[in-house]
Amino acid sequence: VLLRMHSVGICGSDVHYWQHGRIGDFVVKDPMVLGHEASGTVIKVGSGVTHLKPGDRVAIEPGVPREVDEFCKTGRYNLSPTIFFCATPPDDGNLCRYYKHSASYCYKLPDNVTFEEGALIEPLSVGIHACKRAGVTLGSKVFVSGSGPIGLVNVIVAKMMGAAAVVVTDLSASRLQKAKEVGADFTIQVKNETPKEVASKVESVLGCMPEITVECTGVQACIQTGIYATRSGGTLVLVGLGPEMVTVPIVNAAVREVDIRGIFRYCNTWPVAIALLASKRINVKPLVTHRFPLEKALEAFETTKRGEGVKVMLKCDPTDQSP
């Protein structure tokens, strides 16, 4: 389908590619269009497309498998080594006026879901995938490390999935305030405590050690805290990406049977997210704090780089700047 783009959120990875030209093994070798948190309107459809028509508003899932391999067959297509992914070199993203995408990975938005909510399904999907991998369920006690956009979506999803108590840590008081707004039960502002000290603060505010820790920073000290904080037999999910090599108390995790799980993006999350947004069971609107027209993209990226607000949204349609 050919799309007229409407709203595109800026992600930390977009800023990282812009500033550093690489993330791990993904290296920018040629000019690349950024943007992968996006929504727009269908203006043309390919001859084989039956589920969409011009005028449909859609959210875009940015990862499209190029072949039906073993990972696709088992429903874990996000792990397919040949996947196309918007704004991961060498694949162009969708921060532009018009963009074409696989129709199967464009999902029609109900009338009561805005374009910006559609764009926010991408980060929201990280929370859905992480909380599913973590096994969040009724009554779970959850520790979310980091209160950036990904930490916040994990708070929203964990509460939705039945977590009884969620505690969030961050360096920034304003980000922790946002965590409270979206449903965190407790917040801890980290100053210069050791990982063990932070872990014991988590335990003391929750009244017990959390069964589940969702680590959203990638910072070595925070991963260490995550291991120390998680209850024996519990699960630590690593969402944040930091340096390739980190030093962690792995024996502490091993002898206490703390399961350490990774996640890579998400899969099978768009229909779930759309259902949650349409039914108003979750509210992601407070995440958007800044909006810029596409012409002011540089200003928007600089705002994100400075760490201002939470989610910066670029508006790609000059005739429609609404949320």
Side-chain angles (χ1 to χ4, degrees):
V1 291
L2 181 64
L3 303 166
R4 180 188 295 112
M5 298 305 296
H6 188 287
S7 296
V8 180
I10 299 178
C11 168
S13 69
D14 292 319
V15 175
H16 200 87
Y17 280 126
W18 168 48
Q19 289 295 303
H20 303 283
R22 69 179 299 157
I23 294 177
D25 295 335
F26 298 108
V27 182
V28 179
K29 295 187 174 132
D30 298 297
M32 180 179 82
V33 179
L34 290 169
H36 59 268
E37 307 179 355
S39 62
T41 304
V42 175
I43 53 173
K44 276 187 182 170
V45 300
S47 57
V49 176
T50 54
H51 72 291
L52 292 172
K53 61 184 188 306
D56 284 345
R57 300 159 58 254
V58 297
I60 301 165
E61 179 170 2
V64 180
R66 287 188 168 94
E67 54 186 82
V68 180
D69 58 16
E70 60 187 305
F71 297 105
C72 294
K73 289 174 187 170
T74 56
R76 301 181 75 175
Y77 56 88
N78 57 313
L79 303 178
S80 176
T82 62
I83 199 165
F84 166 92
F85 197 88
C86 294
T88 295
D91 304 331
D92 280 326
N94 45 32
L95 181 51
C96 44
R97 300 271 186 228
Y98 295 92
Y99 173 74
K100 73 175 194 308
H101 199 68
S102 165
S104 303
Y105 292 79
C106 293
Y107 299 82
K108 191 173 172 181
L109 292 172
D111 293 342
N112 68 342
V113 177
T114 66
F115 280 113
E116 284 185 1
E117 288 176 297
L120 287 167
I121 290 173
E122 196 279 343
L124 181 60
S125 286
V126 177
I128 294 170
H129 191 56
C131 287
K132 278 186 171 174
R133 292 267 295 153
V136 178
T137 186
L138 288 171
S140 296
K141 306 282 202 317
V142 180
F143 164 32
V144 175
S145 170
S147 190
I150 295 300
L152 295 173
V153 293
N154 274 285
V155 172
I156 291 168
V157 175
K159 292 296 284 188
M160 178 69 227
M161 288 173 74
V166 177
V167 57
V168 184
T169 54
D170 202 279
L171 299 168
S172 155
S174 62
R175 290 204 154 179
L176 289 172
Q177 184 51 44
K178 200 60 147 176
K180 277 274 200 215
E181 278 173 46
V182 302
D185 300 283
F186 307 102
T187 57
I188 297 169
Q189 188 174 3
V190 178
K191 302 268 190 339
N192 45 16
E193 298 90 338
T194 66
K196 280 187 172 170
E197 286 166 346
V198 178
S200 93
K201 282 191 170 182
V202 168
E203 181 178 5
S204 95
V205 300
L206 278 178
C208 62
M209 293 171 83
E211 303 104 315
I212 289 163
T213 298
V214 185
E215 207 302 298
C216 302
T217 71
V219 174
Q220 176 172 286
C222 298
I223 300 171
Q224 293 169 351
T225 300
I227 289 176
Y228 291 132
T230 307
R231 185 185 307 180
S232 297
T235 303
L236 165 64
V237 175
L238 302 177
V239 183
L241 297 175
E244 187 182 0
M245 288 291 178
V246 290
T247 304
V248 293
I250 200 79
V251 174
N252 177 291
V255 298
R256 297 194 303 110
E257 296 191 9
V258 172
D259 291 351
I260 300 174
R261 297 187 153 200
I263 71 155
F264 188 58
R265 300 171 180 154
Y266 33 66
C267 57
N268 307 302
T269 53
W270 259 253
V272 175
I274 289 170
L276 289 171
L277 291 166
S279 63
K280 304 298 174 198
R281 296 297 299 278
I282 59 169
N283 181 16
V284 293
K285 288 177 180 172
L287 298 180
V288 181
T289 51
H290 294 71
R291 295 175 178 88
F292 293 89
L294 186 56
E295 297 81 357
K296 294 192 175 169
L298 187 57
E299 204 180 314
F301 270 81
E302 280 164 348
T303 303
T304 308
K305 186 185 160 199
R306 288 193 298 269
E308 290 176 28
V310 179
K311 182 56 70 178
V312 176
M313 207 50 83
L314 278 154
K315 313 303 285 187
C316 301
D317 184 347
T319 65
D320 179 12
Q321 302 275 303
S322 67

